[in-house]
């Protein structure tokens, strides 16, 4: 069974640009979660999608947005990039609901110069 | 009331010793308590999880102890090995499907040979 995949592995952008990160969940999983992990820090919850709908959102500004497609894959968009957006962005998937095991992808390392 | 407080922030244990990481929560509605393990450059992976109907759960060298009255739970790693060196995250959630995991800040564990 294929795990959660994320692309790209690394992404380098400059301040003010937009970044798009992609995630494919495990087959059969309907929930997708996005987390930000700054270097050496914990996981900050960004967004949770299930069945194409945004279910919950963490304490991040509106320039962080995303969507979930009919095949349950997901996209995270970060507009007007700032230097402090540099982090590892992790995607996870689960069966419906976060009280089920979340399976994480390897992450996308975003660097903002 | 939404927080999960994890301690210590970092921990060094000799090979063969017992590693203990503690977490405390305030929301009495939480009923799912997982521990995740993260190696450098990888996404977190579920290690072990407990629900409050039991006070202890053991899987190999890893044990979760749960104290409902104190609203605390802890991870014990017996016979700690260098391969256990990683960052450990506790988390908590409610069983209903619209509540995301609340994560602890993480503990960086180093096992000295």
């Amino acid at each position: 069974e294929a795990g959660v995949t994320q692309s790209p592995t690394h992404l380098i952008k400059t301040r003010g640009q937009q970044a798009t990160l992609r995630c494919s969940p495990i087959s059969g999983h309907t929930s997708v979660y996005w987390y930000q992990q700054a270097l050496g820090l914990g996981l900050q919850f960004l967004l949770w999608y299930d069945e194409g709908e945004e279910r919950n959102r963490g304490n991040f500004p509106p320039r962080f947005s995303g969507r979930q497609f009919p095949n349950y894959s997901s996209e995270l968009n970060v507009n007007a990039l700032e230097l402090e957006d540099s982090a590892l962005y992790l995607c996870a998937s689960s069966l419906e609901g976060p009280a089920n095991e979340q399976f994480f992808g390897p992450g996308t390392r975003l660097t903002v110069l | 009331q939404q927080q999960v407080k994890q301690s210590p922030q970092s921990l060094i244990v000799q090979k063969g010793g017992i590693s203990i990481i503690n977490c405390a929560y305030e929301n009495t509605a939480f009923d799912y308590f997982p521990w995740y393990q993260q190696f450098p450059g990888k996404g977190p992976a579920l290690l072990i999880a407990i629900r409050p109907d039991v006070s202890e759960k053991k899987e190999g060298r890893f044990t979760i102890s749960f104290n409902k009255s104190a609203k605390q739970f802890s991870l014990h790693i017996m016979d700690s090995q260098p391969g256990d060196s990683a960052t450990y995250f506790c988390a908590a959630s409610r069983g209903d499907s619209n509540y995301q995991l609340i994560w602890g800040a993480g503990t960086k564990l180093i096992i000295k040979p």
Side-chain angles (χ1 to χ4, degrees):
Chain A
E1 177 183 283
V4 177
T5 59
Q6 292 187 245
S7 64
T9 304
H10 294 91
L11 189 57
I12 299 175
K13 295 284 186 178
T14 56
R15 282 180 60 191
Q17 285 188 313
Q18 179 199 38
T20 298
L21 288 63
R22 296 180 176 84
C23 172
S24 292
I26 289 173
S27 177
H29 287 185
T30 60
S31 280
V32 171
Y33 313 84
W34 287 96
Y35 294 91
Q36 183 194 65
Q37 187 174 34
L39 192 62
L41 297 181
L43 298 164
Q44 302 298 316
F45 167 71
L46 266 164
L47 291 159
W48 165 28
Y49 292 96
D50 185 72
E51 297 285 1
E53 300 285 333
E54 182 180 302
R55 298 293 188 183
N56 214 328
R57 182 183 180 85
N59 189 24
F60 280 84
R63 58 190 186 83
F64 287 84
S65 65
R67 54 181 171 166
Q68 187 178 32
F69 299 99
N71 66 352
Y72 303 113
S73 67
S74 178
E75 194 173 87
L76 174 68
N77 294 292
V78 188
N79 293 320
L81 285 165
E82 301 179 2
L83 296 178
E84 52 265 34
D85 296 334
S86 295
L88 181 68
Y89 288 84
L90 291 162
C91 171
S93 74
S94 75
L95 297 171
E96 183 190 0
N100 294 289
E101 178 179 357
Q102 294 188 22
F103 293 81
F104 283 80
T108 292
R109 173 71 63 186
L110 173 63
T111 302
V112 182
L113 303 175
Chain B
Q1 197 173 29
Q2 300 292 71
Q3 283 187 318
V4 175
K5 295 183 180 179
Q6 183 172 348
S7 62
Q9 188 174 11
S10 61
L11 180 62
I12 300 174
V13 175
Q14 289 292 132
K15 178 183 174 182
I18 302 173
S19 304
I20 301 174
I21 304 170
N22 300 298
C23 284
Y25 64 97
E26 296 179 358
N27 189 339
T28 55
F30 287 156
D31 60 3
Y32 173 64
F33 303 92
W35 285 90
Y36 280 77
Q37 178 188 55
Q38 184 179 28
F39 294 106
K42 304 279 190 181
L46 180 67
L47 187 62
I48 186 172
I50 197 168
R51 296 188 189 267
D53 52 343
V54 295
S55 60
E56 186 175 281
K57 183 174 181 179
K58 185 176 180 179
E59 289 185 3
R61 296 184 294 107
F62 300 90
T63 300
I64 297 180
S65 296
F66 182 76
N67 186 329
K68 189 173 182 178
S69 60
K71 292 184 283 186
Q72 295 176 347
F73 58 110
S74 59
L75 176 69
H76 296 235
I77 305 175
M78 312 300 287
D79 187 27
S80 299
Q81 298 297 312
D84 298 330
S85 297
T87 299
Y88 293 81
F89 294 96
C90 64
S93 180
R94 284 172 14 193
D96 59 35
S97 59
N98 286 322
Y99 204 87
Q100 80 275 9
L101 277 175
I102 307 298
W103 294 80
T107 296
K108 185 172 183 179
L109 174 65
I110 297 172
I111 306 300
K112 295 186 99 173

